[in-house]
Amino acid sequence: SQTIHQWPATLVQPVGSPLSLECTVEGTSNPNLYWYRQAAGRGLQLLFYSVGIGQISSEVPQNLSASRPQDRQFILSSKKLLLSDSGFYLCAWSVGTREQYFGPGTRLTVT
Amino acid sequence: SQQGEEDPQALSIQEGENATMNCSYKTSINNLQWYRQNSGRGLVHLILIRSNEREKHSGRLRVTLDTSKKSSSLLITASRAADTASYFCAAPYSGGGADGLTFGKGTHLIIQP
């Protein structure tokens, strides 16, 4: 069966520090991968998606970047965090245009 | 831009009652999905309904889709305390591609024991 992992689960970082969040998927090949952010009490905002290794598309301009170094690995990064980067970050995968499966999320607090 | 918008924003009912949540979207889609999120957790996929379907069932869940009105509803029958969660509808960004989903702000459902 397929599983998706995210780490860390929680993170507290000072403004201006770098960020690296990792997401890995097991049990499937060539998945579509997604990063979403959820502000408190809000819906999800799509940040990045990837349909293959090295292929990254961004939905909104921001302080973040994403990379896909391996088929089932998706990384979200920032060189310098802003206060507004705080939120709940969710990674998801799908096959084709079907339903998406979400990881447990990373709660990021920028202080 | 945001596709799905849920209504109501919050709903509190007694255990055993039925809960109905509505979703409206803006552009043509080839499917619409519903997800559940327990507090502080990741989202769980509940059901996907395609544009050529009008109704779909999964256990105690019933989803309808009206493409002419660009709306969908999620009905949870015989609610249980464990159904307390936020429920989101989601539609594909570009109508059906692999480029992610756009979510509404969700309906926060509370089931009173």
Side-chain angles (χ1 to χ4, degrees):
Chain A
S1 64
Q2 300 90 355
T3 55
I4 178 169
H5 304 279
Q6 280 186 252
W7 64 90
T10 59
L11 191 59
V12 180
Q13 292 283 99
V15 168
S17 64
L19 173 74
S20 181
L21 303 181
E22 189 164 341
C23 170
T24 58
V25 180
E26 297 176 356
T28 187
S29 296
N30 196 31
N32 299 323
L33 295 173
Y34 309 87
W35 279 111
Y36 292 88
R37 178 171 60 203
Q38 185 178 32
R42 304 293 298 273
L44 276 68
Q45 179 187 33
L46 178 66
L47 301 176
F48 300 95
Y49 69 92
S50 171
V51 298
I53 296 174
Q55 300 178 61
I56 308 294
S57 296
S58 175
E59 282 299 317
V60 293
Q62 57 207 311
N63 186 43
L64 302 168
S65 62
S67 62
R68 185 171 178 173
Q70 300 181 46
D71 181 46
R72 289 170 286 180
Q73 184 185 31
F74 206 20
I75 297 172
L76 184 69
S77 304
S78 174
K79 293 182 179 178
K80 289 186 178 181
L81 283 169
L82 306 172
L83 285 174
S84 58
D85 293 322
S86 293
F88 192 46
Y89 288 82
L90 289 155
C91 180
W93 69 271
S94 73
V95 175
T97 59
R98 291 155 54 184
E99 60 271 18
Q100 296 189 8
Y101 297 93
F102 286 80
T106 295
R107 188 161 304 281
L108 171 66
T109 303
V110 182
T111 61
Chain B
S1 63
Q2 197 165 8
Q3 272 271 37
E5 286 287 348
E6 294 87 351
D7 172 61
Q9 292 186 358
L11 180 62
S12 180
I13 61 174
Q14 294 296 122
E15 194 167 17
E17 294 180 339
N18 296 341
T20 299
M21 289 157 272
N22 302 297
C23 168
S24 60
Y25 58 93
K26 296 177 182 176
T27 63
S28 295
I29 56 174
N30 71 0
N31 72 72
L32 187 130
Q33 304 176 32
W34 284 89
Y35 290 81
R36 181 186 74 226
Q37 183 180 34
N38 291 91
S39 180
R41 307 291 294 274
L43 276 71
V44 175
H45 179 264
L46 296 177
I47 199 162
L48 181 154
I49 186 165
R50 302 191 187 284
S51 59
N52 61 354
E53 298 175 306
R54 292 296 171 261
E55 188 171 309
K56 198 163 183 179
H57 296 255
S58 177
R60 294 184 295 112
L61 305 180
R62 172 178 169 256
V63 167
T64 63
L65 180 64
D66 187 333
T67 54
S68 66
K69 295 181 180 178
K70 291 186 171 59
S71 67
S72 174
S73 68
L74 170 66
L75 169 67
I76 303 174
T77 60
S79 63
R80 305 168 182 170
D83 294 328
T84 294
S86 292
Y87 292 82
F88 297 89
C89 66
Y93 258 91
S94 63
D99 51 354
L101 298 172
T102 176
F103 288 78
K105 296 179 182 178
T107 292
H108 185 51
L109 175 65
I110 297 173
I111 308 300
Q112 308 277 6

